[in-house]
Amino acid sequence: MSVQALIDYTLHLGDNALVLGHRNSEWTGHGPILEQDIALSNIALDLIGQARNWYEYAARLINGGGGKEVTEDVLAYLRDSRDFRNCLLAEQTNGDWGKTVLRQFYFSAYQFYFYGALEHSRDKELAAIAEKSLKEVTYHLRWSSEWVIRLGDGTEESASRMQRAMDELWTYTGELFVPADYERKLSPAGIGVDLAAIRPLWEQRVREVLKAARLESGEGVWMQTGGKQGKHTEHLGYLLAEMQFLQRAYPGCEW
Amino acid sequence: MSAPANEAVFQDKIDQDIRIEPKDWMPEAYRKTLIRQISQHAHSEIVGMLPEANWITRAPSLKRKATLIAKVQDEAGHGLYLYAAAETLDISRDEMIGQLHSGKAKYSSIFNYPTLTWADMGAIGWLVDGAAIMNQVPLCRASYGPYARAMVRICKEESFHQRQGFEILLVLSRGSEAQRRMCQDAIDRWWWPSVMMFGPNDDASPNTAQSMRWKIKRFTNDELRQRFVDVSAEQIKLLGMTLPDPALVWNETRQHYDHGPIDWEEFRNVLNGNGPCNKERMAARVQAHADGAWVREAALEHSRKNAARQSVQLEGVA
């Protein structure tokens, strides 16, 4: 196994969590009701916490190679979009509350089965972070499933908004299960997750929740890919420009 | 009991420092004063989320980002406790939010100032939360039980926020030239608005005397303001920065800091809607509420449908 593959793999996990956490945090102070503002901010916090764990591990791996001192913040704030390996789904804009909860549902269902498998990784660090994160993700999945059902089964307006959100997001779900080169390298060694094995579980869960929500799933649509290899939608550049502004404008400072 | 007898029992409890609870008799004016004060405080927490949320997506490190989200989230939680406390006085959260959006209810004017740089996150924590704590600690002993209990929880979290804010400024004050400039500039902009947070001078504060008799308020505006100035004048030394008041000097006779005149014209202007962000803050709240309307309706409709399905099932069983 190459250390580079493990580094890329870990960064990919960190980028997923950071980018989606950042998107969710854009809602803080603007949620549809106070309790849900708090709930989504909480998910944002969990995801940013996960990102920090992944980056901290990636930084250790990178520094172990004798390079310059890399930290979680160097990884988050000083890489450009071509070096980010998050899935396209995570970087999609918030849209309305329906799109945000649907994006969270697709992603949490993925993270739920992914971390469930990764906690058995032969790499003890990956396994430990996955195990810790799985507790949080279990709640995220429950929360987002409930919201998808509530809105799908709510009013005519909410159902049509959910249908529109599905039309926008479904095309980004396929990438979750298309392994990148670093994933292909780590999966046979029992270090990374076999995406083909968790795919049917994800599909099953999504079907169940969409059925309960009385929503039609958007099967047969062309699937976009590229995020895991650093080829993103145009949205990520703006997200990073905003997020990295201070570190870029005042290089080398402590904050 | 007759009205005068009720009144006597009530005042007797107040005098003996026995808490008034929701089911107790209370004068209508006491109830109204509490609703006004508690809802205003709740609205301040909610509107106060906005100037800080403004920097969440630009926080300069992952640690700062996480603590800022947590802080703003705490404020939402404070809003919730306070709305719940006010609801014990027979007013609904919807009604209070309606009053905020119509402009009938006020919120703290401090949140009508803009957050222009990262250092503002530090200055708000240190000065604005610091001033809020001065106001709020005595409220933990307010005569109305639900309010006092909400304030106990809030004060614990606020003092944590204040330390975080001071620490943000401390790091900046030891940083680069540009960071030090950013730090001083934020202090310069937030100092006077924070001093004004205590409200008008005592001789211009018509409600203070009654609120003190009812033990809702324990200290006057000027007493609390003096305490804030004294503490801040010492803490600024740790930052190696200055407060923007040339008249700020230690008065040996009074054993307090003297400070320069407050620009009450600015205070009144911001209160009357002319602050730099009054319109933006209100627009953001109204927009969030309007954008969320379909979500709230759908949630209600879904639970109605669920209840209907369950009752059909139950009938089937019976």
Side-chain angles (χ1 to χ4, degrees):
Chain A
M1 177 211 69
S2 82
V3 176
Q4 190 54 48
L6 183 57
I7 291 169
D8 290 345
Y9 195 79
T10 310
L11 285 173
H12 156 66
L13 298 177
D15 294 345
N16 270 345
L18 175 61
V19 169
L20 186 57
H22 180 98
R23 279 289 186 226
N24 287 340
S25 77
E26 293 172 1
W27 272 101
T28 304
H30 305 276
I33 190 163
L34 213 38
E35 286 84 347
Q36 300 306 326
D37 196 305
I38 293 174
L40 190 59
S41 300
N42 216 33
I43 294 174
L45 265 181
D46 285 345
L47 288 169
I48 288 165
Q50 289 172 20
R52 294 182 69 186
N53 288 331
W54 295 124
Y55 288 149
E56 192 268 328
Y57 181 40
R60 260 190 288 142
L61 292 168
I62 294 167
N63 292 329
K68 62 174 182 174
E69 195 63 25
V70 166
T71 63
E72 59 172 26
D73 287 331
V74 167
L75 293 171
Y77 290 91
L78 299 179
R79 284 179 304 142
D80 203 350
S81 67
R82 292 290 278 112
D83 293 320
F84 268 73
R85 295 172 176 79
N86 60 281
C87 300
L88 300 174
L89 179 66
E91 72 204 37
Q92 296 311 302
T93 52
N94 286 344
D96 63 12
W97 183 254
K99 185 177 171 189
T100 293
V101 298
L102 184 66
R103 182 184 63 195
Q104 190 62 47
F105 167 64
Y106 286 149
F107 191 76
S108 294
Y110 160 76
Q111 271 196 324
F112 178 75
Y113 295 111
F114 186 92
Y115 285 155
L118 192 63
E119 69 177 348
H120 304 294
S121 169
R122 284 174 49 209
D123 184 297
K124 294 287 169 263
E125 297 279 349
L126 292 181
I129 300 171
E131 186 189 353
K132 184 172 173 288
S133 308
L134 183 58
K135 292 193 185 82
E136 298 165 351
V137 168
T138 305
Y139 165 74
H140 304 169
L141 178 57
R142 197 180 77 205
W143 180 87
S144 57
S145 301
E146 284 170 1
W147 268 107
V148 169
I149 293 169
R150 209 171 274 142
L151 297 179
D153 180 49
T155 59
E156 230 170 85
E157 180 182 5
S158 70
S160 81
R161 281 174 182 266
M162 288 310 280
Q163 206 62 58
R164 202 182 323 149
M166 289 187 42
D167 294 343
E168 285 180 47
L169 291 177
W170 186 254
T171 187
Y172 299 110
T173 56
E175 187 193 16
L176 298 172
F177 303 101
V178 179
D181 53 350
Y182 46 87
E183 290 179 293
R184 275 195 299 271
K185 282 182 192 148
L186 295 190
S187 157
I191 291 170
V193 172
D194 176 8
L195 296 178
I198 63 166
R199 180 174 201 155
L201 301 172
W202 182 88
E203 287 172 343
Q204 171 72 14
R205 175 68 73 120
V206 168
R207 258 197 310 276
E208 282 167 12
V209 169
L210 293 184
K211 184 161 176 267
R214 292 158 166 80
L215 290 167
E216 313 258 332
S217 79
E219 274 156 56
V221 174
W222 172 257
M223 289 297 176
Q224 301 292 340
T225 56
K228 289 179 177 184
Q229 269 90 17
K231 280 182 269 177
H232 292 276
T233 58
E234 289 178 347
H235 303 302
L236 186 67
Y238 290 95
L239 184 152
L240 295 181
E242 187 172 340
M243 184 175 83
Q244 298 178 339
F245 151 66
L246 278 168
Q247 290 273 0
R248 301 289 195 183
Y250 303 91
C253 289
E254 288 283 322
W255 298 93
Chain B
M1 258 192 289
S2 64
N6 276 331
E7 183 88 47
V9 171
F10 171 81
Q11 192 58 50
D12 191 47
K13 279 188 188 157
I14 298 275
D15 294 343
Q16 290 188 56
D17 278 325
I18 297 171
R19 290 261 164 83
I20 306 301
E21 295 298 335
K23 291 200 162 57
D24 295 345
W25 185 91
M26 62 187 83
E28 190 53 21
Y30 176 83
R31 196 180 73 87
K32 284 213 170 110
T33 300
L34 279 170
I35 288 179
R36 185 174 47 81
Q37 185 171 333
I38 301 173
S39 70
Q40 188 173 318
H41 188 171
H43 299 328
S44 301
E45 297 282 356
I46 302 311
V47 177
M49 294 167 75
L50 298 169
E52 291 178 285
N54 184 37
W55 279 89
I56 287 176
T57 54
R58 290 176 291 170
S61 72
L62 293 179
K63 185 182 135 215
R64 294 292 185 204
K65 195 183 194 69
T67 45
L68 188 57
I69 294 172
K71 184 187 176 198
V72 178
Q73 198 188 23
D74 282 348
E75 283 154 9
H78 297 172
L80 271 184
Y81 310 156
L82 289 162
Y83 282 128
E87 281 181 318
T88 64
L89 295 158
D90 286 332
I91 184 167
S92 70
R93 201 208 294 186
D94 276 352
E95 205 178 335
M96 288 183 270
I97 288 174
Q99 291 174 348
L100 171 68
H101 293 174
S102 74
K104 189 184 167 218
K106 299 276 182 217
Y107 57 89
S108 179
S109 275
I110 193 85
F111 301 118
N112 290 319
Y113 290 88
T115 51
L116 301 180
T117 71
W118 170 250
D120 291 26
M121 297 304 99
I124 288 182
W126 177 45
L127 294 173
V128 176
D129 292 337
I133 291 168
M134 289 290 168
N135 262 325
Q136 291 170 0
V137 166
L139 293 173
C140 298
R141 295 190 293 127
S143 55
Y144 188 58
Y147 189 27
R149 288 188 287 275
M151 291 316 304
V152 171
R153 294 173 70 178
I154 290 171
C155 283
K156 275 188 199 146
E157 292 178 354
E158 287 293 357
S159 58
F160 184 62
H161 295 165
Q162 198 207 5
R163 282 201 297 278
Q164 279 175 351
F166 190 78
E167 200 258 335
I168 287 175
L169 294 181
L170 196 60
V171 169
L172 293 175
S173 75
R174 293 169 179 173
S176 68
E177 190 47 41
Q179 286 177 304
R180 291 179 54 78
R181 245 195 337 267
M182 197 186 277
C183 182
Q184 182 63 57
D185 167 63
I187 293 167
D188 290 348
R189 282 182 291 109
W190 289 95
W191 171 249
W192 284 111
S194 302
V195 170
M196 293 180 205
M197 276 176 72
F198 296 91
N201 288 129
D202 293 348
D203 51 17
S205 175
N207 300 325
T208 294
Q210 179 59 271
S211 281
M212 288 183 73
R213 267 195 300 281
W214 280 333
K215 294 188 182 170
I216 296 172
K217 229 172 153 162
R218 299 270 179 170
F219 301 98
T220 70
N221 295 352
D222 287 331
E223 284 167 351
L224 293 166
R225 184 173 8 249
Q226 182 67 60
R227 212 178 279 180
F228 173 71
V229 169
D230 288 347
V231 170
S232 306
E234 288 300 316
Q235 288 175 341
I236 190 80
K237 294 176 187 167
L238 300 172
L239 295 175
M241 299 278 143
T242 54
L243 292 172
D245 180 0
L248 187 80
V249 279
W250 177 250
N251 182 325
E252 195 57 41
T253 327
R254 292 203 308 125
Q255 289 291 301
H256 285 296
Y257 277 90
D258 291 337
H259 61 79
I262 294 169
D263 182 359
W264 293 114
E265 187 57 27
E266 174 178 331
F267 179 76
R268 271 188 295 276
N269 254 312
V270 180
L271 202 64
N272 291 330
N274 297 326
C277 296
N278 293 58
K279 287 187 181 66
E280 286 82 353
R281 298 295 184 239
M282 230 356 64
R285 283 317 312 155
V286 169
Q287 170 110 40
H289 194 71
D291 288 351
W294 71 272
V295 177
R296 296 189 299 274
E297 279 162 28
L300 273 178
E301 184 56 24
H302 170 68
S303 66
R304 255 185 242 123
K305 284 180 179 174
N306 255 352
R309 282 178 209 129
Q310 271 167 8
S311 75
V312 168
Q313 274 177 357
L314 285 177
E315 278 167 31
V317 173

